[in-house]
Amino acid sequence: MTEVQIDPAVFNDVYLPHLDNMARTQVFYGGSSSGKSVFVVGQRAVMDIMRGGRNYLICRQVGRTIRNSVFNEVLKVIRKWGVSELFTVNKSDMVITCSNGYQILFGGLDDVEKMKSITPAKGVITDIVIEEATETERATVKQLYKRQRGGSDSTPKRLTLLFNPILQTHWIYEEYFSRAGWSDKQTEYKSDDLTILKTTYKDNKFLTPDDVRDLESETDSYYYNVYTLGNWGVLGNVIFKNWRVEDLSDMQAQFTNRRAGLDFGFSSDPAALWVSHYDRKNKTIYVFDELYERGLKNDVLAIEVIKKVGKDYVIADSSEPKSIAELNRHGVNARGAKKGKDSVEHGIQWLQQQTIVVDTRCINLQNELRTYKWKEDAAGNPIRQPVDKNNHLIDAGRYAHEDDSLENYVEIIDDPFAGW
């Protein structure tokens, strides 16, 4: 054990009792900026490693997103606590080792084979933490439970899920919350096997007044309920109901009529790439790949796009001609979308008229399709305008199929709510 005294004032009070919580499965969820990731990924992990006897594996669905998120979160805590001399940081492999030999390891759930080979230098992996757990599949989490079996170490093992809630139809709600008989009036559930803790921005004493003001000023009822208040959402005014999820991995050789669309993003918004096959005869779109990442400069973005589409044309957001030119210089066959008057409404209407089949691995598109909704009037009735949130991949999909949707297009006549 490495003896270090940490002032309890550095923790948000709501999380302090969970420093020594040994329930087998732990769920920390709720509103944005509640401090749950700082506590679990940063503070509790660093504290446990210094105490000794525990090794952490911290995961996200997409491995590339780890370095600029959970990995940096751990480094921030180490620096803030002034304990850098106790840790060795291997930035290339993303391995953080305490002087007592225990480690914090990181892995992307999109690379299963690499995950199988991750092993600590001392002892066994006692803690698996999944950040943004709503991006993962049920089967993946089941595999992680199995990953913790065995070993001679008798230290209690834990699997911890962190996320903002999406919809009550998500498998996580069914798996854990329904079993606990959960109500949104609750903030905590405890048993020997399962802990659920719900927190919001009100539980985070370290937020600035501007942070609080931004969260409290949300005007859309769904987003206020979910991201400000941390409640599981129920959506009635969703735009797309014409989609389903299938495993398309064995069908990709048949996908020859390919489409690709790109929505640009960097810091707050992700760069989003939609890759699909269009079966025109049966009016069916098969979305078999996606990219959804923040912090990618255009040279790196070009590499990732080429990995997924090769020399295929990519229709990109035409509002960024400089970015399109840079992608072209780096080998991407990109051109700007035509857009134009009513292009958003028309693109949505056309997509509604297709059957959309989404590969099981395209988790981010699934999340967008579940939550993309119409704006509402004061009475809660949908109006002819989508909420401009959770639509990065959907915008990319509109660009990807722009030529298909414009084949017989003169002007929008039909109501986009038709069939809704």
Side-chain angles (χ1 to χ4, degrees), residues 220-267:
D220 182 85
S221 59
Y222 168 78
Y223 292 101
Y224 182 79
N225 197 42
V226 170
Y227 294 105
T228 302
L229 301 183
N231 295 325
W232 284 95
V234 178
L235 281 178
N237 295 328
V238 289
I239 293 174
F240 294 106
K241 298 182 180 181
N242 56 320
W243 64 283
R244 66 179 186 269
V245 178
E246 290 184 11
D247 185 349
L248 302 178
S249 55
D250 294 333
M251 298 178 62
Q252 291 194 28
Q254 306 170 35
F255 294 158
T256 55
N257 194 26
R258 300 189 175 197
R259 306 286 186 269
L262 178 65
D263 189 45
F264 290 106
F266 185 71
S267 54

Side-chain angles (χ1 to χ4, degrees), residues 131-411:
E131 175 69 290
E132 304 291 354
T134 51
E135 297 176 356
T136 63
E137 299 178 52
R138 188 194 304 256
T140 300
V141 176
K142 297 292 186 187
Q143 286 298 316
L144 290 173
Y145 272 110
K146 294 178 182 178
R147 174 76 171 78
Q148 289 182 293
R149 292 175 184 167
S152 58
D153 196 330
S154 60
T155 303
K157 297 180 175 68
R158 302 179 296 195
L159 188 141
T160 303
L161 309 179
L162 301 171
F163 58 91
N164 299 119
I166 302 178
L167 295 172
Q168 285 187 1
T169 54
H170 198 282
W171 72 264
I172 287 179
Y173 190 91
E174 177 188 349
E175 184 79 15
Y176 304 109
F177 290 76
S178 293
R179 175 170 31 133
W182 184 263
S183 163
D184 263 341
K185 296 178 181 178
Q186 288 179 252
T187 58
E188 194 164 12
Y189 172 87
K190 287 183 181 179
S191 71
D192 292 340
D193 254 0
L194 175 64
T195 292
I196 300 175
L197 180 68
K198 172 186 174 182
T199 53
T200 71
Y201 72 98
K202 294 181 180 180
D203 296 299
N204 189 351
K205 64 186 179 185
F206 301 107
L207 292 181
T208 67
D210 284 343
D211 295 330
V212 173
R213 192 178 305 112
D214 287 343
L215 287 160
E216 292 182 342
S217 63
E218 175 58 63
T219 57
D220 182 85
S221 59
Y222 168 78
Y223 292 101
Y224 182 79
N225 197 42
V226 170
Y227 294 105
T228 302
L229 301 183
N231 295 325
W232 284 95
V234 178
L235 281 178
N237 295 328
V238 289
I239 293 174
F240 294 106
K241 298 182 180 181
N242 56 320
W243 64 283
R244 66 179 186 269
V245 178
E246 290 184 11
D247 185 349
L248 302 178
S249 55
D250 294 333
M251 298 178 62
Q252 291 194 28
Q254 306 170 35
F255 294 158
T256 55
N257 194 26
R258 300 189 175 197
R259 306 286 186 269
L262 178 65
D263 189 45
F264 290 106
F266 185 71
S267 54
S268 58
D269 293 330
L273 177 73
W274 161 304
V275 188
S276 61
H277 162 79
Y278 185 41
D279 180 350
R280 181 180 283 103
K281 180 180 178 181
N282 295 302
K283 298 181 69 174
T284 302
I285 298 170
Y286 295 88
V287 187
F288 59 90
D289 206 353
E290 68 176 20
L291 175 71
Y292 192 88
E293 293 190 35
R294 292 175 176 82
L296 297 184
K297 294 183 178 179
N298 286 331
D299 56 343
V300 179
L301 176 60
I303 293 170
E304 296 305 311
V305 169
I306 291 171
K307 284 181 184 177
K308 293 182 178 293
V309 305
K311 293 297 182 181
D312 289 351
Y313 271 105
V314 179
I315 313 303
D317 183 355
S318 55
S319 66
E320 295 201 26
K322 182 179 178 182
S323 292
I324 293 173
E326 289 180 3
L327 291 181
N328 284 326
R329 283 198 296 272
H330 289 287
V332 178
N333 286 326
R335 70 166 175 82
K338 298 181 179 70
K339 292 191 173 182
K341 183 177 182 291
D342 294 328
S343 61
V344 174
E345 290 85 351
H346 172 73
I348 288 173
Q349 179 184 0
W350 185 86
L351 286 172
Q352 286 178 317
Q353 295 167 354
Q354 316 302 309
T355 297
I356 303 173
V357 184
V358 182
D359 188 86
T360 53
R361 291 158 296 186
C362 296
I363 302 295
N364 295 291
L365 178 57
Q366 293 173 42
N367 288 339
E368 287 196 2
L369 290 169
R370 289 188 182 102
T371 57
Y372 193 41
K373 63 189 289 286
W374 298 113
K375 287 185 177 180
E376 300 169 358
D377 61 21
N381 301 309
I383 60 177
R384 185 175 167 159
Q385 189 176 355
V387 177
D388 190 21
K389 290 184 180 180
N390 288 349
N391 58 347
H392 308 292
L393 281 162
I394 291 170
D395 283 350
R398 289 193 296 104
Y399 305 149
H401 290 273
E402 183 180 67
D403 290 342
D404 301 311
S405 68
L406 292 175
E407 279 183 349
N408 301 307
Y409 173 63
V410 178
E411 62 178 342

